[in-house]
Amino acid sequence: MLALRPSEPTLKFTQGSVLRNVARTSAEKSRTPGLLAAAHAQYAGALALQPDYGEAAAELASLGDELVRHSLLAAAEAEALHRRAAALGPATAAAWLRLGEWLHTADDGQHERLAEAAHAFGAALRLEPGASGAALRLGTQQHRRGKWGAATKAYARCIELDPANGEAYRLLGTLHAQRDATLVIAEATLRGALEVQGGGGGGGGGGGSSAVELSHVLQLQGRLVEAATAAAAPAA
């Protein structure tokens, strides 16, 4: 049937799905790489004929992960497939989630990739507000970026959606511990800066700026009276 109607995107998509299912269920594992490559060709053919075929793009992206594991596709090519699947509108939460997972897994420590992954998980959560997994991943990425407020909000959202998610509780607890420790260090450093600047010990001024920063740090710790006192110090 496919040979008679090769220009039909739906038929190519169907053939790709059949080949992929055979690859998954075949007892002859030596055939798997060839079957996956053939499925890839069919999905790619469907997209070539119908560039806005979102379902084919999503399947091709998912298949790309398997092809990478079998050394049949470069990681950069798989990433491009995930980006295309997420970009096709109307994009699905699953497509954005897969893109985020890919960026998270392939992360090389670049801030830009962390931000992209956070954007992808955020998009998935907006498209599917009940997706606790997307909320957890969003929290993880924001945590790694140092966006503590956004990370706290995402972890809390995950717990709201899935109260039994122990990982979300653990990560939220870790975040609070890190934040509190960092705030204590920041407070001590800013008080030291104020002592030097206020005492004329070569600090070159800037006490007002340090006082404002100290006030902010104290507010984050809930010490509002001390924060107000610190903020008023420059005007005293």
Side-chain angles (χ1 to χ4, degrees), residues 92-101 104 116-143 150-151 153-159 161-162 165 168 171:
T92 65
W96 281 107
L97 188 59
R98 280 194 294 266
L99 174 59
E101 290 287 358
H104 171 79
E116 282 188 281
H119 172 75
F121 290 128
L125 190 58
R126 285 191 295 275
L127 286 165
E128 190 176 324
S132 61
L136 180 65
R137 283 302 198 192
L138 175 59
T140 301
Q141 294 305 122
Q142 299 291 37
H143 192 166
K153 184 177 179 181
Y155 287 146
R157 176 64 174 159
C158 178
I159 291 169
L161 293 169
D162 181 11
N165 194 314
L171 290 170

Side-chain angles (χ1 to χ4, degrees), residues 190 210-220 223 226-228 230-231:
L190 289 167
S210 295
V212 170
E213 289 297 330
L214 176 59
S215 175
H216 179 62
V217 168
L218 293 169
Q219 286 181 54
L220 290 174
R223 296 157 63 184
E226 292 176 81

Side-chain angles (χ1 to χ4, degrees), residues 54-151:
E55 193 175 1
E59 286 298 317
L60 189 57
S62 176
L63 177 59
D65 294 344
E66 293 185 65
L67 293 173
V68 169
R69 288 194 291 272
H70 286 278
S71 300
L72 297 173
L73 191 70
E77 293 178 273
E79 181 176 324
L81 293 177
H82 282 291
R83 291 184 185 281
R84 181 176 185 180
L88 279 177
T92 65
W96 281 107
L97 188 59
R98 280 194 294 266
L99 174 59
E101 290 287 358
W102 176 265
L103 292 168
H104 171 79
T105 303
D107 173 46
D108 53 8
Q110 295 183 19
H111 182 78
E112 294 78 6
R113 293 179 73 84
L114 293 176
E116 282 188 281
H119 172 75
F121 290 128
L125 190 58
R126 285 191 295 275
L127 286 165
E128 190 176 324
S132 61
L136 180 65
R137 283 302 198 192
L138 175 59
T140 301
Q141 294 305 122
Q142 299 291 37
H143 192 166
R144 295 176 71 188
R145 296 175 68 208
K147 305 289 186 179
W148 287 347

